[in-house]
Coordinates of all heavy atoms in Angstrom, one line a residue:
M33 N -38.4 20.1 2.3 CA -38.5 18.6 1.9 C -37.2 18.3 1.1 O -36.7 19.0 0.2 CB -39.6 18.4 1.0 CG -39.8 17.0 0.6 SD -41.5 16.9 -0.3 CE -41.0 15.6 -1.3
L34 N -36.5 17.2 1.5 CA -35.3 16.8 1.0 C -35.6 15.9 -0.3 O -36.5 15.1 -0.3 CB -34.5 15.9 2.0 CG -33.9 16.8 3.1 CD1 -33.1 15.8 4.0 CD2 -32.8 17.7 2.7
P35 N -34.8 16.0 -1.3 CA -34.9 15.1 -2.4 C -34.6 13.7 -2.1 O -33.9 13.4 -1.1 CB -33.9 15.7 -3.5 CG -33.2 16.7 -2.8 CD -33.7 16.9 -1.5
A36 N -35.1 12.8 -2.9 CA -34.9 11.4 -2.6 C -33.4 11.0 -2.7 O -32.6 11.8 -3.3 CB -35.6 10.5 -3.7
P37 N -32.9 10.0 -2.0 CA -31.5 9.6 -2.0 C -31.0 9.4 -3.4 O -29.8 9.7 -3.6 CB -31.4 8.3 -1.2 CG -32.7 8.4 -0.4 CD -33.7 9.1 -1.1
G38 N -31.7 8.9 -4.3 CA -31.3 8.7 -5.7 C -30.9 9.9 -6.3 O -30.0 10.0 -7.2
V39 N -31.5 11.1 -5.9 CA -31.1 12.4 -6.6 C -29.7 12.8 -6.1 O -28.9 13.2 -6.8 CB -32.2 13.5 -6.2 CG1 -31.7 14.8 -6.7 CG2 -33.6 13.2 -6.8
L40 N -29.5 12.6 -4.8 CA -28.1 13.0 -4.3 C -27.1 12.0 -4.9 O -26.0 12.5 -5.3 CB -28.1 12.7 -2.8 CG -26.7 12.9 -2.1 CD1 -26.3 14.3 -2.2 CD2 -26.9 12.5 -0.6
K41 N -27.4 10.8 -5.1 CA -26.5 9.8 -5.7 C -26.1 10.2 -7.1 O -24.9 10.3 -7.5 CB -27.1 8.4 -5.8 CG -26.2 7.4 -6.3 CD -26.9 6.0 -6.3 CE -25.9 5.0 -6.9 NZ -26.5 3.9 -7.5
R42 N -27.2 10.6 -7.9 CA -26.9 11.1 -9.3 C -26.1 12.3 -9.3 O -25.1 12.5 -10.1 CB -28.2 11.3 -10.1 CG -28.9 10.1 -10.5 CD -30.1 10.3 -11.4 NE -31.1 11.2 -11.0 CZ -32.1 10.7 -10.1 NH1 -32.2 9.4 -9.9 NH2 -33.0 11.5 -9.7
E43 N -26.3 13.3 -8.4 CA -25.5 14.5 -8.4 C -24.1 14.2 -8.1 O -23.2 14.7 -8.7 CB -26.1 15.4 -7.3 CG -27.4 16.1 -7.7 CD -28.0 16.9 -6.6 OE1 -27.3 17.2 -5.6 OE2 -29.2 17.4 -6.6
V44 N -23.9 13.3 -7.1 CA -22.5 13.0 -6.6 C -21.8 12.3 -7.7 O -20.6 12.6 -8.0 CB -22.5 12.3 -5.3 CG1 -21.1 11.7 -5.0 CG2 -23.0 13.1 -4.1
E45 N -22.4 11.3 -8.3 CA -21.8 10.5 -9.5 C -21.4 11.5 -10.6 O -20.3 11.3 -11.1 CB -22.7 9.4 -9.9 CG -22.8 8.3 -9.0 CD -23.6 7.2 -9.3 OE1 -24.4 7.5 -10.3 OE2 -23.6 6.1 -8.8
Q46 N -22.2 12.4 -10.9 CA -22.0 13.4 -12.0 C -20.8 14.2 -11.6 O -19.8 14.4 -12.5 CB -23.2 14.2 -12.3 CG -23.0 15.2 -13.4 CD -22.9 14.5 -14.8 OE1 -23.7 13.6 -15.0 NE2 -22.0 14.9 -15.5
L47 N -20.7 14.7 -10.4 CA -19.5 15.6 -10.0 C -18.3 14.8 -10.0 O -17.3 15.3 -10.5 CB -19.8 16.2 -8.6 CG -20.9 17.3 -8.6 CD1 -21.3 17.6 -7.2 CD2 -20.4 18.5 -9.3
V48 N -18.2 13.6 -9.5 CA -17.1 12.8 -9.4 C -16.6 12.4 -10.8 O -15.5 12.5 -11.2 CB -17.3 11.5 -8.6 CG1 -16.1 10.6 -8.7 CG2 -17.6 11.9 -7.1
G49 N -17.6 12.1 -11.7 CA -17.3 11.8 -13.1 C -16.6 12.9 -13.8 O -15.7 12.8 -14.5
D50 N -17.2 14.1 -13.6 CA -16.7 15.2 -14.3 C -15.3 15.6 -13.8 O -14.4 16.0 -14.6 CB -17.6 16.5 -14.0 CG -18.9 16.3 -14.8 OD1 -19.1 15.5 -15.7 OD2 -19.8 17.2 -14.4
G51 N -15.1 15.4 -12.5 CA -13.8 15.7 -11.9 C -12.6 14.7 -12.2 O -11.5 15.1 -12.2
T52 N -13.1 13.5 -12.4 CA -12.0 12.4 -12.5 C -11.9 11.9 -13.9 O -10.9 11.3 -14.3 CB -12.3 11.2 -11.6 OG1 -13.6 10.6 -12.1 CG2 -12.4 11.6 -10.2
G53 N -13.0 12.0 -14.7 CA -12.9 11.5 -16.1 C -13.3 10.1 -16.2 O -13.1 9.4 -17.1
V54 N -13.7 9.4 -14.9 CA -14.0 8.1 -14.9 C -15.4 7.8 -15.4 O -16.3 8.6 -15.1 CB -13.8 7.5 -13.5 CG1 -14.2 6.1 -13.4 CG2 -12.3 7.7 -13.0
H55 N -15.6 6.7 -16.1 CA -17.0 6.4 -16.6 C -18.0 6.1 -15.4 O -17.6 5.7 -14.4 CB -17.0 5.1 -17.4 CG -16.2 5.2 -18.7 ND1 -16.6 5.9 -19.8 CD2 -14.9 4.9 -19.1 CE1 -15.8 5.9 -20.7 NE2 -14.7 5.2 -20.3
K56 N -19.2 6.5 -15.8 CA -20.2 6.4 -14.7 C -20.5 5.0 -14.2 O -20.7 4.9 -13.1 CB -21.6 6.9 -15.4 CG -22.7 6.9 -14.3 CD -24.0 7.2 -15.0 CE -25.2 7.1 -14.0 NZ -25.2 5.9 -13.0
Y57 N -20.4 4.0 -15.0 CA -20.6 2.7 -14.5 C -19.5 2.3 -13.4 O -19.8 1.5 -12.5 CB -20.6 1.7 -15.6 CG -19.3 1.4 -16.4 CD1 -18.4 0.5 -15.9 CD2 -19.0 2.0 -17.5 CE1 -17.2 0.3 -16.6 CE2 -17.7 1.9 -18.2 CZ -16.9 0.9 -17.7 OH -15.7 0.8 -18.3
A58 N -18.3 2.8 -13.6 CA -17.2 2.4 -12.7 C -17.6 3.2 -11.4 O -17.4 2.6 -10.2 CB -15.9 2.9 -13.2
I59 N -17.9 4.5 -11.5 CA -18.3 5.2 -10.3 C -19.5 4.6 -9.5 O -19.5 4.4 -8.3 CB -18.6 6.7 -10.7 CG1 -17.3 7.4 -11.2 CG2 -19.1 7.4 -9.5 CD1 -17.5 8.6 -11.8
D60 N -20.5 4.2 -10.3 CA -21.7 3.6 -9.8 C -21.4 2.3 -9.0 O -21.8 2.0 -7.9 CB -22.7 3.3 -10.8 CG -24.1 2.8 -10.2 OD1 -24.6 3.5 -9.4 OD2 -24.4 1.7 -10.6
H61 N -20.5 1.5 -9.6 CA -20.0 0.3 -8.9 C -19.3 0.5 -7.5 O -19.7 -0.1 -6.6 CB -19.0 -0.5 -9.9 CG -18.6 -1.8 -9.3 ND1 -19.4 -2.8 -9.2 CD2 -17.3 -2.1 -8.7 CE1 -18.7 -3.9 -8.6 NE2 -17.5 -3.4 -8.3
V62 N -18.4 1.5 -7.5 CA -17.7 1.9 -6.3 C -18.7 2.4 -5.3 O -18.7 2.0 -4.1 CB -16.6 2.9 -6.5 CG1 -16.0 3.3 -5.2 CG2 -15.6 2.3 -7.5
Y63 N -19.6 3.3 -5.7 CA -20.7 3.8 -4.8 C -21.6 2.7 -4.2 O -21.8 2.7 -3.0 CB -21.5 4.8 -5.7 CG -22.3 5.8 -4.9 CD1 -22.5 7.1 -5.4 CD2 -22.8 5.6 -3.6 CE1 -23.2 8.1 -4.7 CE2 -23.5 6.6 -2.9 CZ -23.6 7.8 -3.5 OH -24.3 8.8 -2.8
E64 N -21.9 1.8 -5.0 CA -22.7 0.6 -4.5 C -21.9 -0.2 -3.5 O -22.5 -0.6 -2.4 CB -23.2 -0.3 -5.6 CG -24.2 0.3 -6.5 CD -25.4 0.8 -5.8 OE1 -25.9 0.0 -4.9 OE2 -26.1 1.8 -6.1
L65 N -20.6 -0.3 -3.7 CA -19.8 -1.1 -2.7 C -19.7 -0.2 -1.4 O -19.7 -0.8 -0.3 CB -18.5 -1.3 -3.3 CG -18.3 -2.3 -4.5 CD1 -16.8 -2.3 -5.0 CD2 -18.7 -3.7 -4.0
M66 N -19.6 1.0 -1.6 CA -19.6 1.9 -0.4 C -20.8 1.8 0.5 O -20.8 1.8 1.7 CB -19.3 3.4 -0.8 CG -17.8 3.6 -1.2 SD -17.5 5.3 -1.8 CE -18.3 6.3 -0.6
I67 N -21.9 1.9 -0.3 CA -23.2 1.8 0.3 C -23.5 0.5 1.2 O -23.9 0.4 2.3 CB -24.4 2.0 -0.6 CG1 -24.4 3.6 -1.1 CG2 -25.8 1.7 0.0 CD1 -25.3 3.8 -2.2
E68 N -23.0 -0.6 0.4 CA -23.1 -1.9 1.0 C -22.3 -2.0 2.4 O -22.8 -2.5 3.3 CB -22.8 -3.0 0.0 CG -22.8 -4.4 0.5 CD -22.4 -5.4 -0.5 OE1 -22.5 -5.2 -1.8 OE2 -21.8 -6.4 -0.1
R69 N -21.1 -1.5 2.2 CA -20.2 -1.6 3.4 C -20.7 -0.7 4.6 O -20.7 -1.1 5.7 CB -18.8 -1.1 3.1 CG -17.8 -1.3 4.1 CD -17.6 -2.8 4.5 NE -16.5 -2.9 5.6 CZ -16.6 -3.8 6.5 NH1 -17.4 -4.6 6.6 NH2 -15.6 -3.7 7.4
A70 N -21.2 0.4 4.2 CA -21.8 1.3 5.3 C -23.0 0.6 5.9 O -23.2 0.7 7.1 CB -22.2 2.6 4.7
G71 N -23.7 -0.1 5.2 CA -24.9 -0.8 5.8 C -24.4 -2.0 6.6 O -25.0 -2.1 7.8
Q72 N -23.4 -2.6 6.3 CA -22.8 -3.7 7.1 C -22.3 -3.2 8.4 O -22.5 -3.8 9.4 CB -21.8 -4.4 6.4 CG -22.2 -5.2 5.2 CD -21.0 -5.7 4.3 OE1 -19.8 -5.3 4.5 NE2 -21.3 -6.6 3.4
L73 N -21.7 -2.0 8.4 CA -21.2 -1.4 9.6 C -22.2 -0.5 10.3 O -22.0 0.0 11.3 CB -20.0 -0.5 9.2 CG -18.8 -1.2 8.6 CD1 -17.7 -0.2 8.1 CD2 -18.2 -2.2 9.6
K74 N -23.4 -0.5 9.8 CA -24.5 0.2 10.4 C -24.2 1.8 10.5 O -24.4 2.3 11.6 CB -25.0 -0.3 11.7 CG -25.6 -1.7 11.5 CD -26.0 -2.3 12.8 CE -26.8 -3.6 12.7 NZ -26.4 -4.7 12.3
L75 N -23.5 2.3 9.6 CA -23.0 3.7 9.6 C -24.2 4.7 9.3 O -25.1 4.3 8.4 CB -21.8 4.0 8.7 CG -20.7 3.1 8.9 CD1 -19.6 3.5 7.9 CD2 -20.1 3.4 10.3
R76 N -24.3 5.7 9.9 CA -25.4 6.8 9.6 C -24.5 8.1 9.6 O -23.6 8.3 10.3 CB -26.5 6.8 10.7 CG -27.2 5.4 10.8 CD -28.1 5.2 9.6 NE -28.7 3.9 9.7 CZ -28.4 2.8 9.0 NH1 -27.3 2.8 8.3 NH2 -29.1 1.7 9.1
F77 N -25.2 9.0 8.9 CA -24.6 10.4 8.8 C -25.5 11.4 9.4 O -26.7 11.5 9.2 CB -24.3 10.8 7.3 CG -23.6 12.1 7.1 CD1 -22.2 12.0 7.2 CD2 -24.3 13.2 7.0 CE1 -21.5 13.1 7.0 CE2 -23.5 14.4 6.9 CZ -22.1 14.4 6.9
K78 N -25.0 12.2 10.3 CA -25.7 13.3 10.9 C -25.2 14.6 10.3 O -24.0 14.8 10.3 CB -25.5 13.3 12.5 CG -26.3 12.4 13.3 CD -26.2 12.7 14.7 CE -27.3 12.1 15.5 NZ -27.2 12.4 16.9
G79 N -26.1 15.4 9.9 CA -25.6 16.7 9.3 C -26.5 17.1 8.1 O -27.5 16.4 7.8
S80 N -26.2 18.2 7.6 CA -27.0 18.7 6.5 C -26.8 17.9 5.2 O -25.8 17.2 5.0 CB -26.7 20.2 6.2 OG -25.3 20.3 5.6
R81 N -27.7 18.1 4.3 CA -27.7 17.5 3.0 C -26.4 17.9 2.2 O -25.7 17.1 1.6 CB -28.9 17.7 2.2 CG -28.8 17.2 0.8 CD -30.1 17.6 0.0 NE -30.2 16.9 -1.3 CZ -29.4 17.3 -2.4 NH1 -28.6 18.3 -2.3 NH2 -29.5 16.6 -3.5
E82 N -26.0 19.2 2.3 CA -24.9 19.7 1.5 C -23.6 19.1 2.2 O -22.6 18.8 1.5 CB -24.9 21.3 1.7 CG -25.8 21.8 0.6 CD -25.6 21.4 -0.8 OE1 -24.5 21.4 -1.2 OE2 -26.6 21.0 -1.3
H83 N -23.6 19.0 3.5 CA -22.4 18.4 4.2 C -22.2 16.9 3.7 O -21.2 16.4 3.5 CB -22.5 18.5 5.6 CG -21.2 18.2 6.4 ND1 -21.3 17.6 7.7 CD2 -20.0 18.1 6.0 CE1 -20.0 17.3 8.1 NE2 -19.2 17.6 7.1
A84 N -23.4 16.2 3.7 CA -23.4 14.7 3.3 C -22.9 14.6 1.9 O -22.1 13.8 1.6 CB -24.7 14.2 3.6
K85 N -23.4 15.6 1.0 CA -23.1 15.5 -0.4 C -21.5 15.7 -0.6 O -20.8 15.0 -1.3 CB -23.8 16.6 -1.1 CG -23.5 16.7 -2.7 CD -24.4 17.8 -3.2 CE -24.1 18.0 -4.7 NZ -25.0 19.2 -5.2
R86 N -20.9 16.7 0.1 CA -19.6 17.0 0.1 C -18.7 15.8 0.6 O -17.8 15.4 -0.1 CB -19.3 18.3 0.9 CG -17.8 18.8 0.8 CD -17.5 20.1 1.4 NE -18.0 20.2 2.8 CZ -19.1 20.9 3.3 NH1 -19.7 21.7 2.4 NH2 -19.4 20.9 4.5
E87 N -19.0 15.4 1.8 CA -18.3 14.2 2.4 C -18.4 13.0 1.4 O -17.4 12.3 1.2 CB -18.8 13.9 3.7 CG -18.5 14.9 4.7 CD -17.1 15.2 5.0 OE1 -16.3 14.2 5.1 OE2 -16.6 16.4 5.1
T88 N -19.6 12.7 0.8 CA -19.8 11.6 0.0 C -18.9 11.8 -1.3 O -18.3 10.8 -1.8 CB -21.3 11.4 -0.4 OG1 -21.9 11.2 0.9 CG2 -21.4 10.2 -1.3
M89 N -18.9 13.0 -1.8 CA -18.3 13.3 -3.0 C -16.7 13.0 -2.8 O -16.0 12.4 -3.7 CB -18.5 14.7 -3.5 CG -17.9 15.0 -4.8 SD -18.3 16.6 -5.4 CE -17.8 17.6 -4.1
I90 N -16.3 13.5 -1.7 CA -14.8 13.3 -1.4 C -14.4 11.8 -1.3 O -13.5 11.3 -1.8 CB -14.4 14.1 -0.1 CG1 -14.5 15.6 -0.4 CG2 -13.0 13.6 0.3 CD1 -14.5 16.4 0.9
M91 N -15.2 11.1 -0.5 CA -14.9 9.7 -0.2 C -15.1 8.8 -1.6 O -14.2 8.0 -1.8 CB -15.8 9.2 0.8 CG -15.6 7.7 1.1 SD -14.0 7.3 1.6 CE -14.2 7.4 3.4
L92 N -16.1 9.2 -2.4 CA -16.3 8.4 -3.6 C -15.1 8.7 -4.6 O -14.7 7.8 -5.3 CB -17.7 8.8 -4.2 CG -18.1 8.1 -5.5 CD1 -18.0 6.5 -5.3 CD2 -19.4 8.6 -6.0
T93 N -14.6 9.9 -4.6 CA -13.5 10.3 -5.5 C -12.3 9.5 -5.1 O -11.6 8.8 -5.9 CB -13.3 11.8 -5.4 OG1 -14.4 12.5 -5.9 CG2 -12.1 12.2 -6.3
V94 N -12.1 9.4 -3.8 CA -10.8 8.7 -3.3 C -10.9 7.3 -3.6 O -10.0 6.7 -4.1 CB -10.6 9.0 -1.8 CG1 -9.6 8.1 -1.2 CG2 -10.3 10.5 -1.6
Q95 N -12.0 6.7 -3.3 CA -12.2 5.2 -3.5 C -12.2 4.9 -5.1 O -11.6 3.8 -5.4 CB -13.5 4.8 -2.8 CG -13.6 4.8 -1.3 CD -12.4 4.1 -0.7 OE1 -12.1 3.0 -1.2 NE2 -11.8 4.6 0.3
T96 N -12.8 5.7 -5.8 CA -12.8 5.5 -7.2 C -11.4 5.5 -7.9 O -11.0 4.6 -8.6 CB -13.7 6.5 -8.0 OG1 -15.1 6.4 -7.6 CG2 -13.7 6.2 -9.5
M97 N -10.7 6.5 -7.4 CA -9.3 6.6 -7.9 C -8.5 5.5 -7.4 O -7.6 5.0 -8.1 CB -8.7 8.0 -7.5 CG -9.4 9.1 -8.2 SD -9.8 9.0 -9.9 CE -8.2 9.0 -10.7
N98 N -8.7 5.0 -6.2 CA -8.0 3.8 -5.6 C -8.2 2.6 -6.4 O -7.3 1.9 -6.8 CB -8.4 3.6 -4.2 CG -7.6 4.5 -3.2 OD1 -6.7 5.2 -3.4 ND2 -8.3 4.7 -2.0
V99 N -9.5 2.4 -6.8 CA -9.9 1.3 -7.7 C -9.2 1.4 -9.0 O -8.6 0.4 -9.6 CB -11.3 1.2 -7.8 CG1 -11.7 0.3 -8.9 CG2 -12.0 0.7 -6.5
I100 N -9.3 2.6 -9.7 CA -8.7 2.8 -11.0 C -7.2 2.5 -11.0 O -6.6 1.9 -11.8 CB -9.0 4.1 -11.5 CG1 -10.5 4.3 -11.7 CG2 -8.3 4.5 -12.9 CD1 -11.2 3.3 -12.6
H101 N -6.6 3.1 -10.0 CA -5.0 3.0 -10.0 C -4.6 1.7 -9.4 O -3.3 1.4 -9.6 CB -4.5 4.2 -9.2 CG -4.6 5.5 -9.8 ND1 -4.0 5.8 -11.0 CD2 -5.4 6.6 -9.6 CE1 -4.2 7.0 -11.4 NE2 -5.1 7.5 -10.6
S102 N -5.4 0.9 -8.9 CA -4.9 -0.4 -8.4 C -5.0 -1.4 -9.5 O -4.6 -2.6 -9.3 CB -5.8 -0.9 -7.2 OG -7.1 -1.2 -7.7
G103 N -5.5 -1.0 -10.7 CA -5.6 -2.0 -11.8 C -6.9 -2.8 -11.9 O -7.0 -3.6 -12.8
Y104 N -7.8 -2.4 -11.1 CA -9.1 -3.1 -11.2 C -9.9 -2.4 -12.2 O -10.7 -1.5 -11.9 CB -9.8 -3.0 -9.8 CG -11.1 -3.7 -9.7 CD1 -11.2 -5.0 -9.8 CD2 -12.3 -2.9 -9.5 CE1 -12.5 -5.6 -9.8 CE2 -13.5 -3.5 -9.4 CZ -13.6 -4.9 -9.6 OH -14.9 -5.5 -9.5
H105 N -9.8 -2.9 -13.4 CA -10.5 -2.3 -14.5 C -11.7 -3.1 -15.0 O -12.6 -2.6 -15.8 CB -9.6 -2.1 -15.7 CG -8.5 -1.1 -15.4 ND1 -8.7 0.3 -15.3 CD2 -7.2 -1.3 -15.2 CE1 -7.6 0.9 -15.0 NE2 -6.6 -0.1 -15.0
R106 N -11.8 -4.4 -14.6 CA -12.9 -5.2 -15.0 C -14.0 -5.1 -14.0 O -13.9 -5.6 -12.8 CB -12.4 -6.7 -15.2 CG -11.6 -6.9 -16.4 CD -11.0 -8.2 -16.4 NE -10.0 -8.1 -15.3 CZ -8.8 -8.7 -15.2 NH1 -8.5 -9.6 -16.0 NH2 -8.0 -8.5 -14.4
I107 N -15.1 -4.5 -14.4 CA -16.2 -4.4 -13.5 C -17.4 -5.2 -14.2 O -17.7 -4.8 -15.5 CB -16.7 -3.0 -13.3 CG1 -15.5 -2.2 -12.6 CG2 -17.9 -2.8 -12.6 CD1 -15.7 -0.8 -12.5
S108 N -18.0 -6.1 -13.5 CA -19.0 -6.9 -14.2 C -20.2 -6.0 -14.4 O -20.6 -5.2 -13.6 CB -19.4 -8.1 -13.3 OG -19.9 -7.6 -12.0
L109 N -20.9 -6.2 -15.6 CA -22.0 -5.4 -15.9 C -23.3 -6.2 -15.7 O -23.4 -7.3 -15.8 CB -21.9 -4.9 -17.3 CG -20.7 -4.0 -17.6 CD1 -20.7 -3.7 -19.0 CD2 -20.9 -2.7 -16.8

């Protein structure tokens, strides 16, 4: 039995936060934007949970760092 998607989200956010030093709220914001865009494009992932976790972690790290380095520091709460 696979854990709920929220469990994967928390694990990935924790790993990205630990690796980048970025606050959880910023990572969560970027993650939500990624999820929204993937839904708009009707993207789906085929593969194991671990593969999905690894790919999500990499993409979230890249996108989070792009946001941070582009000067986008104001995130509405």
Side-chain angles (χ1 to χ4, degrees):
M33 184 170 150
L34 291 175
V39 173
L40 177 64
K41 182 179 180 211
R42 284 190 302 273
E43 288 177 10
V44 169
E45 286 179 345
Q46 182 68 44
L47 289 167
V48 173
D50 290 348
T52 62
V54 175
H55 293 285
K56 184 194 175 308
Y57 68 87
I59 295 167
D60 185 59
H61 181 74
V62 174
Y63 203 143
E64 291 300 322
L65 292 174
M66 286 173 49
I67 291 169
E68 181 181 325
R69 184 65 177 147
Q72 291 170 350
L73 296 173
K74 296 181 171 62
L75 300 178
R76 301 291 178 257
F77 188 85
K78 278 188 161 181
S80 70
R81 179 183 186 279
E82 285 303 312
H83 188 209
K85 181 177 171 182
R86 183 175 51 250
E87 293 295 320
T88 302
M89 187 175 56
I90 292 167
M91 179 61 91
L92 183 57
T93 300
V94 169
Q95 292 303 319
T96 299
M97 297 314 291
N98 284 341
V99 166
I100 296 301
H101 289 295
S102 71
Y104 179 68
H105 296 288
R106 285 170 290 210
I107 297 174
S108 60
L109 299 176

